[in-house]
Short mmCIF file of all heavy atoms in Angstrom, two decimals:
data_model
loop_
_atom_site.label_atom_id
_atom_site.label_comp_id
_atom_site.label_asym_id
_atom_site.label_seq_id
_atom_site.Cartn_x
_atom_site.Cartn_y
_atom_site.Cartn_z
N GLN R 1 -14.30 -22.92 20.54
CA GLN R 1 -15.67 -22.61 20.19
C GLN R 1 -16.63 -23.15 21.26
O GLN R 1 -17.58 -22.47 21.62
CB GLN R 1 -15.96 -23.21 18.82
CG GLN R 1 -17.11 -22.58 18.10
CD GLN R 1 -17.28 -23.19 16.73
OE1 GLN R 1 -17.31 -24.40 16.59
NE2 GLN R 1 -17.39 -22.35 15.74
N LEU R 2 -16.37 -24.35 21.74
CA LEU R 2 -17.23 -24.94 22.76
C LEU R 2 -17.18 -24.14 24.06
O LEU R 2 -18.23 -23.86 24.66
CB LEU R 2 -16.84 -26.39 23.02
CG LEU R 2 -17.67 -27.14 24.06
CD1 LEU R 2 -19.13 -27.18 23.65
CD2 LEU R 2 -17.12 -28.54 24.26
N LEU R 3 -16.00 -23.74 24.49
CA LEU R 3 -15.88 -22.95 25.71
C LEU R 3 -16.59 -21.62 25.58
O LEU R 3 -17.28 -21.18 26.49
CB LEU R 3 -14.40 -22.73 26.06
CG LEU R 3 -13.61 -23.97 26.47
CD1 LEU R 3 -12.14 -23.62 26.65
CD2 LEU R 3 -14.19 -24.57 27.73
N PHE R 4 -16.43 -20.98 24.42
CA PHE R 4 -17.09 -19.70 24.19
C PHE R 4 -18.61 -19.88 24.17
O PHE R 4 -19.34 -19.11 24.79
CB PHE R 4 -16.62 -19.06 22.87
CG PHE R 4 -17.26 -17.74 22.60
CD1 PHE R 4 -16.86 -16.62 23.30
CD2 PHE R 4 -18.26 -17.61 21.66
CE1 PHE R 4 -17.44 -15.38 23.07
CE2 PHE R 4 -18.85 -16.39 21.42
CZ PHE R 4 -18.45 -15.27 22.13
N ALA R 5 -19.07 -20.90 23.46
CA ALA R 5 -20.52 -21.17 23.39
C ALA R 5 -21.09 -21.38 24.79
O ALA R 5 -22.15 -20.83 25.13
CB ALA R 5 -20.78 -22.38 22.51
N ASN R 6 -20.39 -22.16 25.59
CA ASN R 6 -20.85 -22.41 26.96
C ASN R 6 -20.87 -21.12 27.77
O ASN R 6 -21.79 -20.88 28.55
CB ASN R 6 -19.98 -23.45 27.64
CG ASN R 6 -20.22 -24.84 27.12
OD1 ASN R 6 -21.26 -25.14 26.55
ND2 ASN R 6 -19.25 -25.71 27.30
N ALA R 7 -19.87 -20.28 27.60
CA ALA R 7 -19.80 -19.02 28.35
C ALA R 7 -20.94 -18.09 27.97
O ALA R 7 -21.46 -17.36 28.82
CB ALA R 7 -18.45 -18.34 28.10
N VAL R 8 -21.33 -18.12 26.70
CA VAL R 8 -22.42 -17.26 26.24
C VAL R 8 -23.78 -17.89 26.51
O VAL R 8 -24.80 -17.22 26.55
CB VAL R 8 -22.27 -16.95 24.72
CG1 VAL R 8 -23.39 -16.11 24.19
CG2 VAL R 8 -20.95 -16.24 24.46
N GLY R 9 -23.78 -19.20 26.72
CA GLY R 9 -25.04 -19.90 26.99
C GLY R 9 -25.72 -20.38 25.72
O GLY R 9 -26.94 -20.50 25.68
N LEU R 10 -24.92 -20.65 24.69
CA LEU R 10 -25.45 -21.12 23.41
C LEU R 10 -24.79 -22.44 23.04
O LEU R 10 -23.76 -22.80 23.60
CB LEU R 10 -25.17 -20.08 22.31
CG LEU R 10 -25.73 -18.69 22.55
CD1 LEU R 10 -25.16 -17.71 21.54
CD2 LEU R 10 -27.25 -18.71 22.47
N SER R 11 -25.36 -23.12 22.08
CA SER R 11 -24.74 -24.36 21.63
C SER R 11 -23.58 -24.05 20.69
O SER R 11 -23.56 -23.01 20.02
CB SER R 11 -25.76 -25.25 20.91
OG SER R 11 -26.12 -24.69 19.66
N ARG R 12 -22.64 -24.97 20.63
CA ARG R 12 -21.50 -24.81 19.73
C ARG R 12 -21.98 -24.77 18.29
O ARG R 12 -21.47 -24.00 17.48
CB ARG R 12 -20.52 -25.96 19.93
CG ARG R 12 -19.23 -25.77 19.15
CD ARG R 12 -18.38 -27.01 19.07
NE ARG R 12 -19.02 -28.12 18.39
CZ ARG R 12 -19.18 -28.21 17.07
NH1 ARG R 12 -18.76 -27.26 16.28
NH2 ARG R 12 -19.77 -29.27 16.54
N SER R 13 -22.98 -25.56 17.96
CA SER R 13 -23.47 -25.59 16.58
C SER R 13 -24.11 -24.25 16.20
O SER R 13 -23.98 -23.80 15.06
CB SER R 13 -24.44 -26.74 16.34
OG SER R 13 -25.57 -26.62 17.16
N TYR R 14 -24.79 -23.60 17.16
CA TYR R 14 -25.39 -22.30 16.86
C TYR R 14 -24.30 -21.25 16.63
O TYR R 14 -24.40 -20.46 15.68
CB TYR R 14 -26.33 -21.87 17.99
CG TYR R 14 -27.06 -20.58 17.70
CD1 TYR R 14 -27.93 -20.49 16.62
CD2 TYR R 14 -26.88 -19.47 18.50
CE1 TYR R 14 -28.61 -19.31 16.35
CE2 TYR R 14 -27.56 -18.29 18.24
CZ TYR R 14 -28.42 -18.22 17.16
OH TYR R 14 -29.09 -17.05 16.90
N ILE R 15 -23.26 -21.25 17.44
CA ILE R 15 -22.14 -20.32 17.24
C ILE R 15 -21.51 -20.58 15.87
O ILE R 15 -21.22 -19.65 15.12
CB ILE R 15 -21.07 -20.48 18.36
CG1 ILE R 15 -21.63 -20.04 19.71
CG2 ILE R 15 -19.80 -19.73 18.02
CD1 ILE R 15 -21.90 -18.56 19.84
N SER R 16 -21.34 -21.84 15.52
CA SER R 16 -20.78 -22.19 14.22
C SER R 16 -21.67 -21.68 13.09
O SER R 16 -21.19 -21.15 12.08
CB SER R 16 -20.62 -23.71 14.14
OG SER R 16 -20.09 -24.07 12.89
N ASN R 17 -22.98 -21.82 13.24
CA ASN R 17 -23.92 -21.33 12.22
C ASN R 17 -23.84 -19.81 12.07
O ASN R 17 -23.92 -19.29 10.95
CB ASN R 17 -25.34 -21.74 12.55
CG ASN R 17 -25.59 -23.21 12.33
OD1 ASN R 17 -24.84 -23.89 11.65
ND2 ASN R 17 -26.67 -23.71 12.92
N ILE R 18 -23.66 -19.11 13.16
CA ILE R 18 -23.51 -17.65 13.10
C ILE R 18 -22.23 -17.31 12.34
O ILE R 18 -22.24 -16.45 11.46
CB ILE R 18 -23.48 -17.03 14.51
CG1 ILE R 18 -24.85 -17.18 15.19
CG2 ILE R 18 -23.07 -15.55 14.45
CD1 ILE R 18 -24.85 -16.81 16.66
N GLU R 19 -21.15 -17.99 12.66
CA GLU R 19 -19.86 -17.74 12.00
C GLU R 19 -19.94 -17.99 10.49
O GLU R 19 -19.33 -17.27 9.71
CB GLU R 19 -18.77 -18.62 12.61
CG GLU R 19 -18.39 -18.23 14.01
CD GLU R 19 -17.42 -19.20 14.65
OE1 GLU R 19 -17.26 -20.33 14.14
OE2 GLU R 19 -16.82 -18.84 15.67
N ARG R 20 -20.72 -19.00 10.10
CA ARG R 20 -20.84 -19.32 8.68
C ARG R 20 -21.98 -18.56 8.00
O ARG R 20 -22.29 -18.80 6.84
CB ARG R 20 -21.06 -20.83 8.51
CG ARG R 20 -19.86 -21.65 8.87
CD ARG R 20 -20.01 -23.13 8.49
NE ARG R 20 -21.33 -23.69 8.74
CZ ARG R 20 -21.70 -24.33 9.84
NH1 ARG R 20 -20.83 -24.48 10.82
NH2 ARG R 20 -22.91 -24.81 9.98
N ARG R 21 -22.60 -17.65 8.74
CA ARG R 21 -23.72 -16.83 8.25
C ARG R 21 -24.91 -17.68 7.85
O ARG R 21 -25.65 -17.35 6.93
CB ARG R 21 -23.28 -15.94 7.09
CG ARG R 21 -22.22 -14.96 7.49
CD ARG R 21 -21.85 -14.10 6.33
NE ARG R 21 -20.69 -13.31 6.67
CZ ARG R 21 -20.01 -12.61 5.82
NH1 ARG R 21 -20.38 -12.58 4.56
NH2 ARG R 21 -18.97 -11.92 6.20
N GLU R 22 -25.11 -18.78 8.54
CA GLU R 22 -26.26 -19.64 8.31
C GLU R 22 -27.37 -19.35 9.31
O GLU R 22 -28.48 -19.83 9.13
CB GLU R 22 -25.84 -21.11 8.37
CG GLU R 22 -24.91 -21.50 7.24
CD GLU R 22 -24.41 -22.92 7.33
OE1 GLU R 22 -24.81 -23.66 8.25
OE2 GLU R 22 -23.61 -23.31 6.47
N SER R 23 -27.07 -18.61 10.34
CA SER R 23 -28.05 -18.18 11.34
C SER R 23 -27.86 -16.70 11.59
O SER R 23 -26.74 -16.19 11.55
CB SER R 23 -27.85 -18.92 12.66
OG SER R 23 -28.17 -20.27 12.54
N SER R 24 -28.97 -16.03 11.84
CA SER R 24 -28.94 -14.61 12.17
C SER R 24 -29.27 -14.46 13.65
O SER R 24 -30.40 -14.73 14.06
CB SER R 24 -29.96 -13.84 11.34
OG SER R 24 -29.64 -13.93 9.97
N PRO R 25 -28.29 -14.06 14.44
CA PRO R 25 -28.54 -13.95 15.88
C PRO R 25 -29.47 -12.78 16.22
O PRO R 25 -29.49 -11.78 15.51
CB PRO R 25 -27.15 -13.73 16.46
CG PRO R 25 -26.38 -13.11 15.35
CD PRO R 25 -26.94 -13.68 14.08
N THR R 26 -30.20 -12.95 17.29
CA THR R 26 -31.04 -11.86 17.76
C THR R 26 -30.17 -10.79 18.41
O THR R 26 -28.99 -11.01 18.69
CB THR R 26 -32.04 -12.38 18.83
OG1 THR R 26 -31.28 -12.85 19.96
CG2 THR R 26 -32.92 -13.49 18.28
N ALA R 27 -30.77 -9.65 18.67
CA ALA R 27 -30.05 -8.57 19.34
C ALA R 27 -29.57 -9.04 20.72
O ALA R 27 -28.46 -8.70 21.14
CB ALA R 27 -30.94 -7.34 19.47
N ARG R 28 -30.37 -9.82 21.39
CA ARG R 28 -30.00 -10.32 22.72
C ARG R 28 -28.76 -11.20 22.63
O ARG R 28 -27.85 -11.12 23.46
CB ARG R 28 -31.16 -11.10 23.34
CG ARG R 28 -30.88 -11.64 24.72
CD ARG R 28 -30.80 -10.53 25.71
NE ARG R 28 -29.80 -10.85 26.70
CZ ARG R 28 -29.46 -10.04 27.69
NH1 ARG R 28 -30.04 -8.88 27.81
NH2 ARG R 28 -28.56 -10.39 28.54
N VAL R 29 -28.72 -12.09 21.63
CA VAL R 29 -27.57 -12.96 21.45
C VAL R 29 -26.33 -12.13 21.14
O VAL R 29 -25.26 -12.37 21.68
CB VAL R 29 -27.84 -14.02 20.35
CG1 VAL R 29 -26.57 -14.73 19.94
CG2 VAL R 29 -28.89 -15.02 20.83
N LEU R 30 -26.48 -11.14 20.26
CA LEU R 30 -25.34 -10.26 19.95
C LEU R 30 -24.84 -9.55 21.19
O LEU R 30 -23.64 -9.41 21.40
CB LEU R 30 -25.72 -9.25 18.87
CG LEU R 30 -25.91 -9.82 17.47
CD1 LEU R 30 -26.42 -8.72 16.53
CD2 LEU R 30 -24.63 -10.43 16.95
N PHE R 31 -25.77 -9.09 22.02
CA PHE R 31 -25.40 -8.43 23.26
C PHE R 31 -24.61 -9.38 24.16
O PHE R 31 -23.57 -9.02 24.72
CB PHE R 31 -26.64 -7.92 23.99
CG PHE R 31 -26.34 -7.28 25.31
CD1 PHE R 31 -25.86 -5.98 25.38
CD2 PHE R 31 -26.51 -7.99 26.49
CE1 PHE R 31 -25.56 -5.39 26.60
CE2 PHE R 31 -26.21 -7.40 27.72
CZ PHE R 31 -25.74 -6.11 27.77
N ASP R 32 -25.09 -10.63 24.28
CA ASP R 32 -24.40 -11.61 25.12
C ASP R 32 -23.01 -11.93 24.58
O ASP R 32 -22.05 -12.07 25.34
CB ASP R 32 -25.22 -12.89 25.23
CG ASP R 32 -26.49 -12.71 26.05
OD1 ASP R 32 -26.59 -11.71 26.80
OD2 ASP R 32 -27.39 -13.56 25.93
N ILE R 33 -22.89 -12.03 23.26
CA ILE R 33 -21.59 -12.29 22.64
C ILE R 33 -20.64 -11.12 22.90
O ILE R 33 -19.50 -11.31 23.28
CB ILE R 33 -21.75 -12.56 21.13
CG1 ILE R 33 -22.42 -13.92 20.91
CG2 ILE R 33 -20.41 -12.47 20.41
CD1 ILE R 33 -22.82 -14.21 19.48
N ALA R 34 -21.14 -9.90 22.71
CA ALA R 34 -20.31 -8.71 22.94
C ALA R 34 -19.86 -8.65 24.39
O ALA R 34 -18.69 -8.36 24.67
CB ALA R 34 -21.09 -7.45 22.56
N ARG R 35 -20.76 -8.94 25.29
CA ARG R 35 -20.42 -8.91 26.72
C ARG R 35 -19.33 -9.94 27.03
O ARG R 35 -18.37 -9.66 27.74
CB ARG R 35 -21.65 -9.16 27.57
CG ARG R 35 -21.39 -8.97 29.05
CD ARG R 35 -22.61 -9.17 29.89
NE ARG R 35 -23.11 -10.52 29.65
CZ ARG R 35 -24.38 -10.87 29.77
NH1 ARG R 35 -25.28 -9.99 30.11
NH2 ARG R 35 -24.76 -12.11 29.53
N GLN R 36 -19.46 -11.14 26.46
CA GLN R 36 -18.47 -12.19 26.70
C GLN R 36 -17.11 -11.82 26.10
O GLN R 36 -16.07 -12.14 26.66
CB GLN R 36 -18.97 -13.52 26.13
CG GLN R 36 -18.07 -14.68 26.43
CD GLN R 36 -17.95 -14.94 27.94
OE1 GLN R 36 -18.88 -14.76 28.70
NE2 GLN R 36 -16.78 -15.39 28.36
N LEU R 37 -17.13 -11.12 24.96
CA LEU R 37 -15.87 -10.70 24.32
C LEU R 37 -15.32 -9.42 24.95
O LEU R 37 -14.24 -8.97 24.59
CB LEU R 37 -16.10 -10.48 22.82
CG LEU R 37 -16.43 -11.72 22.01
CD1 LEU R 37 -16.80 -11.34 20.58
CD2 LEU R 37 -15.25 -12.69 22.01
N ASP R 38 -16.10 -8.81 25.85
CA ASP R 38 -15.73 -7.56 26.52
C ASP R 38 -15.51 -6.43 25.52
O ASP R 38 -14.52 -5.70 25.59
CB ASP R 38 -14.49 -7.77 27.39
CG ASP R 38 -14.31 -6.64 28.40
OD1 ASP R 38 -15.33 -6.02 28.80
OD2 ASP R 38 -13.16 -6.35 28.77
N ILE R 39 -16.44 -6.34 24.55
CA ILE R 39 -16.43 -5.24 23.58
C ILE R 39 -17.84 -4.66 23.51
O ILE R 39 -18.81 -5.35 23.82
CB ILE R 39 -15.97 -5.69 22.17
CG1 ILE R 39 -16.91 -6.75 21.60
CG2 ILE R 39 -14.54 -6.18 22.19
CD1 ILE R 39 -16.62 -7.11 20.16
N PRO R 40 -17.97 -3.40 23.11
CA PRO R 40 -19.31 -2.83 23.00
C PRO R 40 -20.09 -3.48 21.84
O PRO R 40 -19.49 -3.84 20.81
CB PRO R 40 -19.06 -1.35 22.68
CG PRO R 40 -17.60 -1.13 22.76
CD PRO R 40 -16.92 -2.45 22.83
N LEU R 41 -21.37 -3.64 22.02
CA LEU R 41 -22.22 -4.17 20.97
C LEU R 41 -22.09 -3.34 19.69
O LEU R 41 -22.09 -3.87 18.58
CB LEU R 41 -23.68 -4.22 21.42
CG LEU R 41 -24.71 -4.69 20.41
CD1 LEU R 41 -24.37 -6.08 19.89
CD2 LEU R 41 -26.09 -4.66 21.02
N SER R 42 -21.92 -2.04 19.86
CA SER R 42 -21.78 -1.15 18.71
C SER R 42 -20.59 -1.52 17.83
O SER R 42 -20.61 -1.33 16.62
CB SER R 42 -21.66 0.31 19.15
OG SER R 42 -20.53 0.48 19.99
N GLU R 43 -19.55 -2.10 18.43
CA GLU R 43 -18.38 -2.52 17.65
C GLU R 43 -18.74 -3.70 16.74
O GLU R 43 -18.30 -3.74 15.58
CB GLU R 43 -17.23 -2.89 18.57
CG GLU R 43 -15.94 -3.18 17.83
CD GLU R 43 -14.76 -3.37 18.78
OE1 GLU R 43 -14.75 -2.76 19.86
OE2 GLU R 43 -13.87 -4.14 18.40
N ILE R 44 -19.52 -4.62 17.23
CA ILE R 44 -19.96 -5.75 16.40
C ILE R 44 -20.82 -5.23 15.25
O ILE R 44 -20.64 -5.63 14.10
CB ILE R 44 -20.74 -6.78 17.25
CG1 ILE R 44 -19.81 -7.47 18.23
CG2 ILE R 44 -21.44 -7.79 16.35
CD1 ILE R 44 -20.49 -8.42 19.17
N ILE R 45 -21.73 -4.32 15.56
CA ILE R 45 -22.61 -3.78 14.53
C ILE R 45 -21.81 -2.99 13.50
O ILE R 45 -22.02 -3.11 12.29
CB ILE R 45 -23.72 -2.93 15.16
CG1 ILE R 45 -24.64 -3.84 15.99
CG2 ILE R 45 -24.50 -2.15 14.11
CD1 ILE R 45 -25.62 -3.13 16.87
N LYS R 46 -20.85 -2.20 13.95
CA LYS R 46 -20.01 -1.41 13.04
C LYS R 46 -19.24 -2.32 12.10
O LYS R 46 -19.16 -2.06 10.89
CB LYS R 46 -19.06 -0.53 13.86
CG LYS R 46 -18.05 0.24 13.05
CD LYS R 46 -18.71 1.37 12.28
CE LYS R 46 -17.64 2.24 11.64
NZ LYS R 46 -17.94 2.55 10.26
N LYS R 47 -18.67 -3.40 12.62
CA LYS R 47 -17.92 -4.32 11.77
C LYS R 47 -18.84 -4.97 10.74
O LYS R 47 -18.45 -5.16 9.59
CB LYS R 47 -17.21 -5.37 12.61
CG LYS R 47 -16.03 -4.80 13.35
CD LYS R 47 -15.27 -5.84 14.12
CE LYS R 47 -14.14 -5.13 14.87
NZ LYS R 47 -12.99 -5.95 15.07
N ALA R 48 -20.05 -5.31 11.14
CA ALA R 48 -21.01 -5.90 10.20
C ALA R 48 -21.39 -4.89 9.12
O ALA R 48 -21.49 -5.23 7.94
CB ALA R 48 -22.25 -6.37 10.94
N GLU R 49 -21.59 -3.63 9.51
CA GLU R 49 -21.91 -2.58 8.54
C GLU R 49 -20.75 -2.36 7.58
O GLU R 49 -20.97 -2.23 6.37
CB GLU R 49 -22.24 -1.27 9.26
CG GLU R 49 -23.57 -1.29 9.95
CD GLU R 49 -23.82 -0.03 10.76
OE1 GLU R 49 -22.85 0.65 11.16
OE2 GLU R 49 -25.00 0.29 10.99
N ASP R 50 -19.54 -2.33 8.09
CA ASP R 50 -18.36 -2.15 7.24
C ASP R 50 -18.23 -3.29 6.25
O ASP R 50 -17.95 -3.08 5.07
CB ASP R 50 -17.09 -2.04 8.08
CG ASP R 50 -17.01 -0.75 8.88
OD1 ASP R 50 -17.80 0.18 8.61
OD2 ASP R 50 -16.15 -0.68 9.78
N ARG R 51 -18.44 -4.50 6.73
CA ARG R 51 -18.34 -5.67 5.85
C ARG R 51 -19.40 -5.60 4.75
O ARG R 51 -19.11 -5.86 3.59
CB ARG R 51 -18.49 -6.95 6.66
CG ARG R 51 -18.44 -8.19 5.78
CD ARG R 51 -18.42 -9.44 6.60
NE ARG R 51 -17.08 -9.62 7.11
CZ ARG R 51 -16.75 -10.47 8.05
NH1 ARG R 51 -17.67 -11.21 8.60
NH2 ARG R 51 -15.52 -10.58 8.45
N ALA R 52 -20.61 -5.21 5.10
CA ALA R 52 -21.68 -5.11 4.12
C ALA R 52 -21.40 -4.01 3.11
O ALA R 52 -21.65 -4.16 1.91
CB ALA R 52 -23.02 -4.87 4.81
N ALA R 53 -20.86 -2.89 3.57
CA ALA R 53 -20.56 -1.76 2.68
C ALA R 53 -19.44 -2.08 1.72
O ALA R 53 -19.42 -1.58 0.60
CB ALA R 53 -20.21 -0.53 3.51
N ASN R 54 -18.50 -2.92 2.13
CA ASN R 54 -17.34 -3.24 1.30
C ASN R 54 -17.55 -4.48 0.44
O ASN R 54 -16.66 -4.86 -0.30
CB ASN R 54 -16.10 -3.45 2.18
CG ASN R 54 -15.67 -2.15 2.82
OD1 ASN R 54 -15.82 -1.10 2.24
ND2 ASN R 54 -15.17 -2.24 4.03
N ARG R 55 -18.73 -5.07 0.53
CA ARG R 55 -19.00 -6.27 -0.26
C ARG R 55 -18.99 -5.91 -1.74
O ARG R 55 -19.68 -5.01 -2.18
CB ARG R 55 -20.34 -6.87 0.15
CG ARG R 55 -20.56 -8.24 -0.45
CD ARG R 55 -21.71 -8.94 0.19
NE ARG R 55 -21.35 -9.30 1.55
CZ ARG R 55 -22.23 -9.47 2.51
NH1 ARG R 55 -23.51 -9.31 2.29
NH2 ARG R 55 -21.85 -9.80 3.72
N ASP R 56 -18.21 -6.62 -2.50
CA ASP R 56 -18.07 -6.36 -3.93
C ASP R 56 -19.24 -6.99 -4.68
O ASP R 56 -19.38 -8.21 -4.70
CB ASP R 56 -16.74 -6.93 -4.43
CG ASP R 56 -16.52 -6.68 -5.91
OD1 ASP R 56 -17.25 -5.85 -6.49
OD2 ASP R 56 -15.62 -7.31 -6.49
N THR R 57 -20.07 -6.16 -5.26
CA THR R 57 -21.19 -6.65 -6.05
C THR R 57 -21.02 -6.32 -7.52
O THR R 57 -21.97 -6.43 -8.30
CB THR R 57 -22.52 -6.05 -5.53
OG1 THR R 57 -22.43 -4.63 -5.60
CG2 THR R 57 -22.81 -6.48 -4.11
N SER R 58 -19.82 -5.94 -7.93
CA SER R 58 -19.60 -5.57 -9.32
C SER R 58 -19.86 -6.73 -10.28
O SER R 58 -20.23 -6.52 -11.43
CB SER R 58 -18.17 -5.04 -9.51
OG SER R 58 -17.24 -6.04 -9.16
N TRP R 59 -19.72 -7.96 -9.80
CA TRP R 59 -19.95 -9.11 -10.66
C TRP R 59 -21.40 -9.20 -11.11
O TRP R 59 -21.69 -9.75 -12.16
CB TRP R 59 -19.54 -10.41 -9.95
CG TRP R 59 -20.39 -10.70 -8.74
CD1 TRP R 59 -20.18 -10.26 -7.48
CD2 TRP R 59 -21.58 -11.46 -8.71
NE1 TRP R 59 -21.16 -10.70 -6.65
CE2 TRP R 59 -22.05 -11.44 -7.39
CE3 TRP R 59 -22.32 -12.14 -9.67
CZ2 TRP R 59 -23.21 -12.10 -7.00
CZ3 TRP R 59 -23.47 -12.80 -9.28
CH2 TRP R 59 -23.91 -12.78 -7.96
N ILE R 60 -22.32 -8.61 -10.35
CA ILE R 60 -23.74 -8.67 -10.72
C ILE R 60 -23.97 -7.92 -12.03
O ILE R 60 -24.59 -8.44 -12.95
CB ILE R 60 -24.63 -8.10 -9.59
CG1 ILE R 60 -24.50 -8.98 -8.35
CG2 ILE R 60 -26.07 -8.00 -10.04
CD1 ILE R 60 -25.14 -8.41 -7.11
N ALA R 61 -23.43 -6.71 -12.11
CA ALA R 61 -23.58 -5.93 -13.34
C ALA R 61 -22.90 -6.62 -14.51
O ALA R 61 -23.42 -6.67 -15.61
CB ALA R 61 -23.03 -4.53 -13.14
N LYS R 62 -21.72 -7.16 -14.28
CA LYS R 62 -20.98 -7.85 -15.34
C LYS R 62 -21.75 -9.06 -15.82
O LYS R 62 -21.84 -9.33 -17.01
CB LYS R 62 -19.59 -8.26 -14.85
CG LYS R 62 -18.66 -7.10 -14.62
CD LYS R 62 -17.33 -7.59 -14.07
CE LYS R 62 -16.45 -6.41 -13.72
NZ LYS R 62 -15.20 -6.84 -13.07
N LYS R 63 -22.35 -9.79 -14.90
CA LYS R 63 -23.11 -10.97 -15.27
C LYS R 63 -24.29 -10.57 -16.16
O LYS R 63 -24.56 -11.20 -17.17
CB LYS R 63 -23.61 -11.70 -14.02
CG LYS R 63 -24.38 -12.96 -14.31
CD LYS R 63 -24.80 -13.63 -13.02
CE LYS R 63 -25.60 -14.88 -13.30
NZ LYS R 63 -26.08 -15.48 -12.07
N GLY R 64 -24.95 -9.48 -15.80
CA GLY R 64 -26.08 -9.00 -16.59
C GLY R 64 -25.65 -8.60 -17.99
O GLY R 64 -26.32 -8.86 -18.96
N LYS R 65 -24.48 -7.96 -18.11
CA LYS R 65 -23.98 -7.54 -19.42
C LYS R 65 -23.63 -8.75 -20.28
O LYS R 65 -23.92 -8.79 -21.44
CB LYS R 65 -22.75 -6.64 -19.26
CG LYS R 65 -23.08 -5.26 -18.74
CD LYS R 65 -21.82 -4.42 -18.59
CE LYS R 65 -22.17 -3.09 -17.97
NZ LYS R 65 -20.98 -2.28 -17.74
N ARG R 66 -23.03 -9.75 -19.65
CA ARG R 66 -22.66 -10.96 -20.39
C ARG R 66 -23.91 -11.68 -20.89
O ARG R 66 -23.95 -12.17 -21.99
CB ARG R 66 -21.85 -11.91 -19.51
CG ARG R 66 -20.40 -11.61 -19.55
CD ARG R 66 -19.62 -12.74 -18.90
NE ARG R 66 -18.87 -12.15 -17.80
CZ ARG R 66 -18.75 -12.62 -16.60
NH1 ARG R 66 -19.33 -13.74 -16.28
NH2 ARG R 66 -18.05 -12.00 -15.69
N GLY R 67 -24.92 -11.72 -20.03
CA GLY R 67 -26.13 -12.44 -20.40
C GLY R 67 -26.86 -11.79 -21.57
O GLY R 67 -27.55 -12.43 -22.32
N GLY R 68 -26.69 -10.47 -21.72
CA GLY R 68 -27.35 -9.75 -22.80
C GLY R 68 -26.59 -9.78 -24.10
O GLY R 68 -27.08 -9.39 -25.14
N SER R 69 -25.36 -10.28 -24.10
CA SER R 69 -24.53 -10.28 -25.31
C SER R 69 -24.85 -11.44 -26.20
O SER R 69 -25.17 -12.49 -25.83
CB SER R 69 -23.04 -10.35 -24.95
OG SER R 69 -22.70 -9.20 -24.21
#
């Protein structure tokens, strides 16, 4: 993580925060990360979109039904 952070020009703690979804990187940071990983930025965005689309939110409806019983 430290080597990668240094290569991208960011702190290790910031990379860790991104990984834990505690920080939202700017487009510039995402571009730098993609460049360092040698992948297109669109691939990072696509994976984020896929993850968001597949997020299971069924528990929200169930919680609401339980609360009304």
Side-chain angles (χ1 to χ4, degrees):
Q1 201 177 50
L2 180 60
L3 293 175
F4 180 75
N6 287 339
V8 178
L10 302 169
S11 70
R12 187 193 62 75
S13 61
Y14 184 62
I15 294 292
S16 179
N17 287 343
I18 292 170
E19 290 174 344
R20 291 189 320 267
R21 298 181 189 170
E22 294 176 2
S23 292
S24 297
T26 64
R28 181 70 215 178
V29 168
L30 289 175
F31 177 79
D32 290 343
I33 289 171
R35 187 178 59 208
Q36 185 62 34
L37 294 173
D38 197 28
I39 61 173
L41 177 57
S42 60
E43 187 173 329
I44 292 176
I45 293 169
K46 175 72 172 134
K47 287 183 182 210
E49 288 175 336
D50 290 347
R51 178 173 282 167
N54 292 327
R55 190 167 290 154
D56 181 14
T57 58
S58 60
W59 65 272
I60 296 170
K62 291 177 185 175
K63 182 179 178 183
K65 288 179 185 177
R66 273 191 239 136
S69 298

